[in-house]
Structures are given as C-alpha cells and as structure tokens.
C-alpha cells in the first residue's frame, strides 16, 4: 500500500521535474542566444576590452554566465533523469532502480551547483524577470529532485521487505 503511494508521488514529481527542467532549458537557451547576439565581436583590428569574460551576458550580473551554463547542464541531465525515471516508473522493480537513482542523484547535485550560482546572482541584485524565473525554478528543483530520489528509494526498500 505504501509502495503504491510512493509510486504515485514519484510519478507526480517525475512529471513536475520534467516540465520544470524543460522550462529551465528554454530560458537558458534564450539567455545563451542573447549573449551570443549581443556579445563582443572579436576580429582583425579589435582588442579585447579590459576585464573581458568569455561568458559575458548583457543582462544580469557577474554570476549570470556561470549560473546559466550550470543551469543548462543541470537541465540536460535532469531531462535524462526524467527519461530514466520513466523507465523505472514503468517497470517499478529493484532492477530498474539503480539507473534511475544514479542519474537522478547526478541531476540533483548539478542542480545544487546551479542553485549556488543562483544565490550568488540574487545576492548581486541586477537581473531581469526571466533570470529570476530560472533562479526560482532551480531552487524549487533542488528540493523536488531530492524528494523524488527519496520517493523512489523508499518504495524500493518497502518492496524488498
């Protein structure tokens, strides 16, 4: 009985995390596109400006580049986690758990890394609404991904007993 309740919780979190990681990828893609379109042009006769950063973003602050890059990496691994989790959800046995749990744990740790840069970006204050949305999603995902990992492990331990 408890295993079925944890399975429904894991399924709900799986769908929620997939949607949120997709939105993070969309906003991160927009930020990368804007940075490429409005970045510094390097060519013949151009000198690099002082304090030039290769991950310069015209919106946001000094932490924006790091935050966007790590959020994109966390988003891609999070989507992979959702795909692996869907396979585990379909079979829901001990044999499919290690793959789902390991990818989910990697996605969670990368999300925590991106969350650290999100906190730094919040601390530096200058950012737009899309970046604030991405920060909020990353912070929420750091919690929901952890609860998802706990749900799939809890259901597996109950099934063995």
């Amino acid at each position: 009985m408890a295993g079925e309740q944890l399975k429904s919780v894991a399924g709900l979190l799986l769908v929620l995390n997939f949607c949120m990681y997709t939105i993070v990828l969309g906003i991160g893609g927009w930020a990368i596109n804007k940075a490429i379109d409005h970045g510094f042009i390097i060519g013949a006769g151009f000198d690099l400006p002082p304090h030039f950063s290769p991950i310069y973003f015209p919106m946001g602050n000094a932490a924006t580049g790091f935050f966007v890059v790590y959020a994109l990496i966390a988003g891609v691994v999070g989507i992979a986690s959702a795909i692996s989790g869907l396979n585990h959800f379909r079979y829901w046995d001990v044999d499919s758990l290690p793959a789902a749990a390991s990818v989910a744990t990697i996605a969670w740790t990368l999300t925590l890394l991106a969350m650290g840069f999100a906190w730094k970006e919040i601390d530096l204050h200058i950012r737009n609404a899309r970046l604030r949305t991405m920060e909020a999603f990353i912070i929420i995902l750091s919690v929901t991904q952890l609860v998802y990992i706990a749900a799939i492990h809890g259901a597996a331990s109950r099934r063995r007993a």
Side-chain angles (χ1 to χ4, degrees):
M1 181 72 177
E4 287 301 315
Q5 290 174 342
L6 286 174
K7 183 177 180 181
S8 63
V9 168
L12 176 68
L13 289 171
L14 185 67
V15 171
L16 177 69
N17 288 351
F18 178 80
C19 293
M20 290 180 71
Y21 277 123
T22 303
I23 291 169
V24 165
L25 285 176
I27 296 171
W30 164 83
I32 291 283
N33 185 44
K34 189 167 181 180
I36 290 170
D37 288 345
H38 300 291
F40 181 74
I41 299 172
I42 300 174
F46 288 111
D47 292 330
L48 289 177
H51 309 293
F52 174 72
S53 172
I55 55 172
Y56 167 74
F57 282 74
M59 70 294 202
N61 52 45
T64 301
F66 296 103
F67 169 62
V68 170
V69 168
Y70 283 105
L72 282 171
I73 294 169
V76 169
V77 178
I79 294 292
S81 167
I83 293 169
S84 178
L86 182 64
N87 185 45
H88 174 62
F89 188 77
R90 198 174 76 200
Y91 293 112
W92 203 255
D93 61 0
V94 179
D95 295 332
S96 63
L97 176 66
S102 62
V103 177
T105 303
I106 292 169
W108 177 63
T109 56
L110 288 170
T111 304
L112 287 179
L113 183 61
M115 183 182 67
F117 286 116
W119 285 346
K120 184 62 177 176
E121 190 177 47
I122 290 168
D123 185 47
L124 295 176
H125 295 295
I126 305 169
R127 60 205 196 281
N128 65 15
R130 289 182 182 152
L131 291 175
R132 282 191 295 258
T133 302
M134 196 159 99
E135 292 162 2
F137 275 39
I138 287 291
I139 291 168
I140 293 167
L141 276 165
S142 67
V143 174
T144 59
Q145 188 73 10
L146 179 63
V147 174
Y148 167 73
I149 293 168
I152 63 175
H153 274 90
S157 67
R158 291 190 190 280
R159 190 154 192 158
R160 276 188 226 139

